[in-house]
Amino acid sequence: MRKGILSIGAAAAVLTLGLTACGGESGDTSAQSTDAASAAPAKAGKVGVILPDSKSSARWETADRKYLEEAFKAAGVEYDIQNAQGDKTQFQTIADQMITDGATVLMIVNLDSGTGKAVLDKAQSQGVATIDYDRLTLGGSASYYVSFDNTKVGTLQGEGLVKCLTDKKADKPIVAELNGSPTDNNATLFKNGYDGVLQPKYDSGEYVKGPDQSVPEWDNTQAGTIFEQMLTQEPKIAGVLAANDGLGNAAIAVLKKQKLNGKVPVTGQDATVQGLQNILAGDQCMTVYKAIKKEADAAAQLAVALAKGEKPAASGSVKDTESGRDVPSVLLDPQAIFFDSVKDVVADGFVSKEELCTGEFAAKCTEAGIG
Ligand code: BGC
């Protein structure tokens, strides 16, 4: 079901980015008359990047910003990275400012598809090239989309929860689902992925479907309130599919109050320091590591080529489920992380031993082979 054609909701293959600088429009067979060797190199344009917020996940400020900056610096291309802090009006204002300031490429992580589309369409009407970074803007006009295989992220979460419940020898566990923002296409894809694993178990009676709710804007505080209500309504929740580490941490905080932490496995995503520490402590069962450096590098490579006036080719495409458009895409491969593989995230340089193995976590780090 998840195999086959590339479309949103389908498991997309890992795609490599093939950059080709085309002088003319594709399909134009007539030779370009410009003598490239003698022409002075055109000054590359500026790249504007808008990140969504700094609360729904630590990744945006601690990983994406850092890796994008490094990539643009290495390419010697001018850039401006700003964070909309969850404010949709501010998002458009930042985009307008960037374009006024000379951005010729705009890369966005939308706050929802509607407002994202308005930003993309306006940029495009002003001749600015656009990239959807991490989140696809449904019905949008971005020239490229760079992300992970998000359905696979969800599948790994579902399989991870199954593994942890099996390890605990759980019998007919009641599973609660704490989903991401209903306005984030990724949250839909994650859910497609984990429900693909869990639904058959609900159907067969192996697992019992418990409360299932989305968390507006991935708001961690609201996630705590929602999970508190879930646990009051259903005190026998035996497993929590939380869509990212922030939501997982909110659930863990509630479980702690009932001394249920460590007994009820909780999933996550993003391999944040907090999520990894929760795994080391035994309070979180798994997370999904997405090598954001690779995502940032792939997106920056496209942006830099566009800023230089090139027409880069992405080797894959993803179907926008709203418009039916095939969006040239680069999708990367996520990895499930459990106690024993926390060390892989450290080895990859995504988090340092120093920030992870502080205080009480030092001994756990040694136990997990991080040394
Ligand atoms: C991203 C996740 C992130 C979430 C909240 C999603 O679109 O793919 O990595 O945890 O947004 O910011």
Side-chain angles (χ1 to χ4, degrees):
M1 185 189 81
R2 294 180 299 95
K3 299 257 151 39
I5 41 153
L6 271 185
S7 68
I8 294 295
V14 180
L15 303 164
T16 50
L17 175 62
L19 284 186
T20 46
C22 309
E25 294 297 315
S26 53
D28 178 2
T29 50
S30 65
Q32 292 274 304
S33 57
T34 321
D35 179 358
S38 65
K43 191 180 174 298
K46 197 167 161 182
V47 181
V49 181
I50 313 180
L51 300 173
D53 63 68
S54 45
K55 289 191 183 151
S56 65
S57 173
R59 63 168 284 182
W60 307 115
E61 284 300 327
T62 62
D64 296 272
R65 179 186 288 275
K66 178 179 76 181
Y67 293 130
L68 286 168
E69 262 173 17
E70 284 173 9
F72 291 132
K73 275 189 191 145
V77 162
E78 260 191 280
Y79 65 91
D80 180 11
I81 304 175
Q82 293 194 45
N83 191 316
Q85 304 297 0
D87 183 332
K88 290 162 198 165
T89 312
Q90 185 61 13
F91 201 111
Q92 180 70 64
T93 308
I94 294 171
D96 291 343
Q97 260 166 18
M98 286 176 166
I99 295 169
T100 308
D101 290 350
T104 58
V105 183
L106 186 66
M107 194 193 296
I108 69 161
V109 185
N110 74 52
L111 286 170
D112 64 48
S113 284
T115 59
K117 176 178 162 51
V119 169
L120 293 171
D121 289 355
K122 193 164 173 190
Q124 199 196 39
S125 74
Q126 295 176 70
V128 173
T130 50
I131 299 173
D132 266 335
Y133 182 66
D134 200 71
R135 298 176 181 167
L136 182 71
T137 302
L138 294 180
S141 56
S143 306
Y144 299 90
Y145 170 50
V146 178
S147 193
F148 284 82
D149 177 343
N150 292 306
T151 310
K152 177 152 181 209
V153 170
T155 305
L156 294 177
Q157 292 174 316
E159 290 172 350
L161 187 62
V162 169
K163 178 189 177 321
C164 299
L165 286 167
T166 307
D167 288 352
K168 291 207 179 300
K169 302 192 172 42
D171 183 31
K172 294 200 175 30
I174 300 176
V175 173
E177 296 186 19
L178 206 48
N179 311 303
S181 174
T183 59
D184 179 353
N185 181 56
N186 285 347
T188 308
L189 300 178
F190 302 148
K191 188 165 172 58
N192 286 345
Y194 51 75
D195 279 349
V197 176
L198 298 173
Q199 193 61 48
K201 297 201 176 282
Y202 300 144
D203 292 345
S204 71
E206 196 185 340
Y207 288 7
V208 178
K209 186 167 168 60
D212 177 0
Q213 221 174 304
S214 295
V215 180
E217 270 119 49
W218 296 91
D219 184 307
N220 292 192
T221 313
Q222 277 197 63
T225 311
I226 292 172
F227 188 71
E228 188 116 49
Q229 284 161 2
M230 287 180 169
L231 198 61
T232 308
Q233 176 200 324
E234 184 48 86
K236 293 211 174 88
I237 288 172
V240 184
L241 192 309
N244 80 356
D245 285 352
L247 305 188
N249 188 63
I252 289 166
V254 175
L255 289 169
K256 276 185 179 164
K257 291 199 257 173
Q258 308 296 331
K259 302 213 167 23
L260 287 170
N261 56 308
K263 296 189 179 125
V264 175
V266 178
T267 64
Q269 172 184 183
D270 287 343
T272 58
V273 170
Q274 185 182 61
L276 295 171
Q277 289 182 335
N278 281 336
I279 293 178
L280 290 173
D283 293 340
Q284 186 171 325
C285 124
M286 61 88 67
T287 187
V288 178
Y289 170 50
K290 302 191 294 191
I292 293 171
K293 181 174 177 357
K294 288 196 186 132
E295 187 183 20
D297 282 349
Q301 202 183 341
L302 283 171
V304 167
L306 290 166
K308 289 179 177 164
E310 297 166 3
K311 271 177 128 278
S315 54
S317 74
V318 153
K319 195 172 278 300
D320 177 335
T321 47
E322 200 169 299
S323 64
R325 185 172 72 101
D326 287 320
V327 187
S329 300
V330 180
L331 294 185
L332 301 157
D333 208 24
Q335 185 191 341
I337 300 293
F338 298 87
F339 185 90
D340 289 339
S341 44
V342 171
K343 59 177 179 307
D344 294 0
V345 183
V346 179
D348 211 32
F350 187 67
V351 296
S352 68
K353 188 188 165 196
E354 288 65 38
E355 56 187 335
L356 185 64
C357 305
T358 50
E360 54 175 309
F361 298 105
K364 293 284 180 192
C365 278
T366 311
E367 208 185 306
I370 303 160

